[in-house]
Amino acid sequence: MTTVKEQKFEAMAVKRETYQLIINGVRQDSVNGETYKVYNPATGEEVATVAKASKEDAELAVQAARNAFDFGKWRHFPVNKRSRTLNKIASIMRSRFNELVELEILDTGKSLAAAQGQVMQAIEDFEFYAGAIVSHRGAVNSMPGAFQNITEKEPVGVCAQIIPWNYPMMMAAWKIAPAIAVGCSVVVKPASLTPLSAILLGEICIEAGVPEGVVNVIPGSGSVVGNYLVEHDKVDKVAFTGSTPIGKDIMARASQTLKRVTLELGGKSPSIVFEDADVDAAVAGSLFGIFYNTGQSCEARSRLYVHEDVYDEFMEKFVAKTKQLKLGNPFEKDTHVGAVISQDQMDVIDGYVKSAVADGAQVLTGGKAANLEGYENGYWYEPTIIADTDHSMKAVKEEIFGPVVVVMKFKDEKEAVKLANDSEYGLGSAIWTKDYGRATRVSKLIQAGIVMINCPFSAFPGTPFGGYKQSGFGRELSIETLDLYTETKSIVSYYGSRPLNPFNV
Ligand code: NAP
Ligand code: MG
């Protein structure tokens, strides 16, 4: 086994037959030699064989991360050196952009345009944090008397970072970039279904000069490896993106060692189309809002509320345009909607659609698996619009996480806000109106971490991303994320000329 100390970490082809764990700066098999296969959800074809981490590997990864944090030099590098390394990671990613995009498509079945946007954003995340970290600092506070307080921001330590399958590359970047920017060490646990881009990102970090043990990547089962990391007493923080039930479980387990926890969880985000909206823009934005990434987005705008005065016009256009969306070859530039991640997820989606129908709702388009020539062994679901719904229905209350939107009418602003907030989630939201006052009013009343006004996009480096209510807490993608990877230390000193003697004895 060679380490980065002894030998330059050599880049390998992005696309290959096997992928190993990354522990302590070394590609390695799992301790017990176990592997598993990953498949392309668009075609059902095998993509690669991946080393499968066990608890033993997780232990090695935690030890490597701990060692790097406690005794290594990364956190003590001058900040400009860490910044330069993050920029180097970004530049290596840029130089392999097309290969990374190809691999992300094979691993997830998502469309070319979606994968390109997400890999590009992952690159920009590293560039953003390369800049942000340079000005991230503590404070000096004036105090009464001859006292001075220096407030330092110190890296929190070893971070377990648990990643979902819907945006594998982007979520890995959202987590790794700010953590290593401040000087933490990380153990990344990608989703079992989509581990490849996180492994590559780990390799690229080491190639760019991140010292051994700072970034470790260990694909393996969530309930085994994930749990092990969450309960480990040498792990200081858990950052998790995934479903709300697993997030609750993680928070409970992490409480035993009082780990710092940030959670990016599920959503059921509302989109409100007011009577004065630009209807065509609202239709276009709503299409993207739900069907982008095949609806497998935590901030998918999956509840659509349309004012009764424009309902008929909006729905006629919305249904017609939904029928025009192109599914199929993910590598074609004009494919709008890619595959669903797995058969299990297909069953979940179809179950929700059937429940809505059983509850009396109407499927206006879609509502079933899509049959695509040449893609019979993949997982495809038709973009689906369900109308005549209400808030008693399971399909309206719960997250579906697929290309399915439920639609309702409303009468006035007050009712729209009430309906939008009637959810246990609070991640994204959208408002379509030309009335600036209304947009401002409603955006203040909505209980969500993100409000999009006449806009279908929400995730930009520098813009805080995260939820209210049961969509989790903590923000990613922003300056404040850096604080969530640091501890605040108050150093209080006395600079008076007379020695202090508080007991006066
Ligand atoms: P998930 O089942 O919660 O899994 C997410 C990650 O957690 C995976 O890596 C999974 O590993 C791991 N995991 C599972 N059980 C665990 C446990 N007991 N302890 C520790 N880790 C565990 O969610 P998913 O099915 O991958 O993703 C879909 C969900 O993620 C949706 O509900 C969606 O809303 C949410 N999401 C939220 C955001 C956001 O920013 N708020 C972003 C993306 C996705 P395995 O793969 O091995 O099961
Ligand atoms: Mg899962």
Side-chain angles (χ1 to χ4, degrees):
M1 215 193 306
T2 51
T3 71
V4 276
K5 261 193 195 145
E6 296 151 19
Q7 186 188 307
K8 195 171 175 312
F9 189 85
E10 280 190 39
M12 289 175 71
V14 167
K15 202 171 134 197
R16 51 196 198 240
E17 282 173 16
T18 59
Y19 295 82
Q20 291 171 289
L21 315 177
I22 316 273
I23 299 177
N24 209 27
V26 183
R27 292 186 187 91
Q28 51 190 270
D29 293 331
S30 57
V31 171
N32 60 18
E34 239 190 284
T35 60
Y36 72 104
K37 292 185 189 311
V38 288
Y39 298 88
N40 179 349
T43 60
E45 282 161 6
E46 187 181 315
V47 176
T49 300
V50 181
K52 185 176 180 188
S54 63
K55 285 183 189 171
E56 286 73 27
D57 302 292
E59 179 57 34
L60 291 175
V62 172
Q63 283 175 15
R66 194 74 254 169
N67 202 43
F69 187 78
D70 292 341
F71 307 111
K73 52 192 182 227
W74 176 249
R75 61 179 288 206
H76 303 296
F77 275 178
V79 68
N80 61 329
K81 191 164 168 185
R82 284 205 306 274
S83 168
R84 234 178 7 251
T85 311
L86 264 73
N87 273 324
K88 179 87 187 288
I89 294 168
S91 81
I92 296 173
M93 290 171 80
R94 273 188 197 280
S95 70
R96 301 202 197 127
F97 180 76
N98 289 335
E99 295 165 274
L100 292 173
V101 167
E102 181 190 2
L103 193 74
E104 189 77 334
I105 293 172
L106 292 173
D107 208 13
T108 62
K110 66 177 71 206
S111 68
L112 176 68
Q116 283 175 329
Q118 291 159 28
V119 174
M120 186 50 76
Q121 206 227 61
I123 294 169
E124 289 168 354
D125 295 339
F126 280 92
E127 291 168 343
F128 170 73
Y129 283 112
I133 191 58
V134 176
S135 58
H136 185 251
R137 56 172 67 99
V140 177
N141 299 310
S142 58
M143 297 168 71
F147 298 99
Q148 175 170 265
N149 165 226
I150 297 172
T151 302
E152 289 210 59
K153 299 279 183 186
E154 295 186 346
V156 70
V158 172
C159 306
Q161 303 187 310
I162 302 175
I163 314 283
W165 45 256
N166 57 342
Y167 296 111
M169 171 63 95
M170 217 170 73
M171 291 299 112
W174 283 22
K175 293 202 166 26
I176 296 173
I180 67 172
V182 300
C184 290
S185 301
V186 302
V187 179
V188 180
K189 211 265 340 138
S192 296
L193 290 170
T194 57
L196 303 185
S197 47
I199 296 173
L200 280 161
L201 197 46
E203 295 185 1
I204 290 170
C205 287
I206 297 165
E207 196 192 332
V210 176
E212 63 189 43
V214 174
V215 176
N216 307 276
V217 185
I218 50 167
S221 146
S223 54
V224 178
V225 171
N227 260 348
Y228 189 80
L229 296 174
V230 169
E231 291 179 3
H232 203 297
D233 64 354
K234 295 285 190 291
V235 173
D236 303 293
K237 161 160 180 157
V238 182
F240 170 78
T241 297
S243 58
T244 293
I246 303 285
K248 291 179 183 178
D249 179 59
I250 285 177
M251 191 167 163
R253 287 172 187 278
S255 72
Q256 294 309 302
T257 43
L258 283 179
K259 286 182 177 53
R260 282 73 185 119
V261 177
T262 46
L263 302 171
E264 301 276 4
L265 308 176
K268 190 78 180 177
S269 299
S271 180
I272 308 171
V273 181
F274 285 102
E275 65 275 24
D276 65 344
D278 175 334
V279 171
D280 290 332
V283 167
S286 301
L287 275 180
F288 187 87
I290 181 62
F291 299 125
Y292 173 70
N293 215 49
T294 319
Q296 303 170 132
S297 291
C298 44
E299 84 292 10
R301 273 117 292 153
S302 51
R303 288 184 289 145
L304 183 53
Y305 301 98
V306 185
H307 191 274
E308 56 187 11
D309 289 356
V310 288
Y311 185 87
D312 291 343
E313 181 194 353
F314 178 94
M315 289 306 285
E316 193 184 316
K317 291 178 172 171
F318 187 51
V319 172
K321 296 240 180 207
T322 298
K323 288 179 176 162
Q324 287 171 26
L325 293 177
K326 190 178 153 197
L327 283 68
N329 188 348
F331 285 98
E332 276 174 17
K333 262 211 298 253
D334 58 351
T335 295
H336 300 109
V337 181
V340 169
I341 196 71
S342 65
Q343 185 59 49
D344 282 353
Q345 196 61 25
M346 288 283 285
D347 296 342
V348 168
I349 295 166
D350 203 50
Y352 276 110
V353 172
K354 292 210 163 81
S355 82
V357 172
D359 288 341
Q362 298 289 327
V363 174
L364 300 187
T365 183
K368 57 183 193 308
N371 281 318
L372 302 172
E373 213 187 311
Y375 294 89
E376 291 83 359
N377 295 324
Y379 314 115
W380 296 86
Y381 205 85
E382 290 185 2
T384 300
I385 303 173
I386 305 181
D388 298 327
T389 57
D390 65 56
H391 278 220
S392 70
M393 296 176 183
K394 188 169 123 111
V396 174
K397 288 195 275 204
E398 296 178 14
E399 180 176 50
I400 298 176
F401 222 59
V404 180
V405 64
V406 295
V407 193
M408 279 154 279
K409 269 186 213 174
F410 69 91
K411 284 186 174 35
D412 58 27
E413 190 179 305
K414 201 170 161 205
E415 187 191 12
V417 170
K418 190 166 172 243
L419 288 167
N421 286 340
D422 180 25
S423 169
E424 64 190 30
Y425 294 113
L427 189 56
S429 60
I431 303 167
W432 300 91
T433 176
K434 287 185 197 146
D435 178 338
Y436 178 77
R438 166 175 277 161
T440 308
R441 251 185 340 264
V442 174
S443 66
K444 286 176 186 291
L445 291 172
I446 283 193
Q447 296 156 354
I450 304 148
V451 183
M452 292 161 258
I453 300 174
N454 298 325
C455 171
F457 308 121
S458 61
F460 300 92
T463 302
F465 191 100
Y468 280 27
K469 301 196 268 187
Q470 294 194 33
S471 291
F473 51 83
R475 294 293 178 269
E476 295 194 292
L477 207 56
S478 58
I479 301 272
E480 72 180 278
T481 312
L482 295 172
D483 287 336
L484 298 173
Y485 282 102
T486 57
E487 292 282 15
T488 299
K489 177 178 281 176
S490 279
I491 302 172
V492 179
S493 61
Y494 171 68
Y495 58 86
S497 56
R498 292 212 325 248
L500 295 172
N501 181 12
F503 275 142
N504 206 18
V505 286

